[in-house]
Amino acid sequence: MAERRLGAVVLAVVVLGAALGLAAWWGTGADAPSGQPVASVAGAVLDRDAPSPEVQAALRRSVRLVHAEGCGVERQATVTVLDRGGRTVGLTNQHVVAGADEVSVDGVPGLVPVTGPVIDRDAAELEGDPLLDGGGIALKTGHRPSNGASVVVAGYPDGHFVAATGTVRSIEQRQGYGATTDVIVIDTQAVPGISGGVVLDVTGAAIGLVAARDPVTGDVVAYPLDVIGPASDSGRVSCSGSGR
């Protein structure tokens, strides 16, 4: 298979983080069920000690730096290009694009429209076609990991692309954005700018959306992709941060 011929890649362990304005602070709840990974990034498995330039380049086409202005605040964070059931979307956080009708994405000509918020989640979609036109590649999605699984988190802490390895500390329920939902807690410290970044399993499948920083440990907190429904078509995300 192509995965075996290209060989496996583990992305270097470095500082990563969570986006400017990490707005969602969730309370701990019960454990959630887990699944197994399925897809790949550029046909490569993530299991080496050093980053592959080819995989880094592929990830940078799928994980982009986004600039948003709304609610009187300028924000710099991350948007991830995903294939969600045959639809290409840009997935980021509500707190990143709050108050913005359009955002600027590095490498994409013009402005990218905000489709709308995901109800009861700190998540929002951008239109996918402009991202593809700007050279984006939609990541395939997989299933949520098990506790203790190795993962990779990719995004733009402090405006610089980083892909870092980590371990799933827990999959649990937390409260935020008007609902209780499952989240993945990863033992990597959150740094401003990573919000909207992606969590990948060891095959390179996208399995989570970075959304917050744990208020006690500082760890990355991410939604499993399977708890993020489609966005409403309401356009601008409310400054209230409720997704309603």
Side-chain angles (χ1 to χ4, degrees):
M1 292 183 62
E3 287 86 352
R4 304 306 178 191
R5 291 197 301 270
L6 286 175
V9 183
V10 154
L11 303 172
V13 178
V14 285
V15 162
L16 71 125
L20 191 62
L22 298 164
W25 304 112
W26 292 303
T28 304
D31 284 350
S34 60
Q36 297 298 323
V38 291
S40 64
V41 172
V45 178
L46 306 174
D47 63 2
R48 272 195 194 154
D49 293 332
S52 156
E54 292 79 12
V55 171
Q56 289 275 13
L59 277 175
R60 292 186 72 157
R61 294 182 67 182
S62 303
V63 182
R64 298 294 186 93
L65 183 64
V66 62
H67 307 268
E69 183 174 356
C71 307
V73 179
E74 293 184 7
R75 308 176 191 88
Q76 178 177 278
T78 307
V79 61
T80 300
V81 187
L82 294 174
D83 179 353
R84 304 198 73 200
R87 295 185 308 125
T88 297
V89 304
L91 195 62
T92 187
N93 300 130
Q94 285 195 42
H95 74 258
V96 171
V97 298
D101 295 309
E102 299 173 310
V103 297
S104 173
V105 177
D106 279 16
V108 178
L111 296 175
V112 180
V114 176
T115 304
V118 176
I119 304 303
D120 294 335
R121 303 287 184 265
D122 186 6
E125 288 184 3
L126 309 184
E127 285 191 12
D129 287 346
L131 299 173
L132 294 178
D133 292 343
I137 296 177
L139 290 171
K140 295 181 179 179
T141 58
H143 301 291
R144 66 176 68 184
S146 303
N147 289 343
S150 296
V151 294
V152 173
V153 182
Y156 285 85
D158 293 328
H160 302 286
F161 179 79
V162 166
T165 57
T167 301
V168 175
R169 285 191 187 274
S170 62
I171 303 174
E172 57 193 50
Q173 291 192 327
R174 295 196 180 188
Q175 172 72 31
Y177 275 70
T180 299
T181 188
D182 295 342
V183 297
I184 306 167
V185 182
I186 301 165
D187 67 349
T188 313
Q189 288 293 293
V191 175
I194 198 68
S195 281
V198 66
V199 182
L200 305 165
D201 65 25
V202 293
T203 74
I207 58 172
L209 174 73
V210 178
R213 176 180 181 273
D214 186 278
V216 176
T217 65
D219 289 343
V220 165
V221 179
Y223 290 115
L225 291 182
D226 58 43
V227 304
I228 302 175
S232 71
D233 59 0
S234 59
R236 179 183 294 185
V237 176
S238 169
C239 293
S240 69
S242 66
R244 296 181 182 278

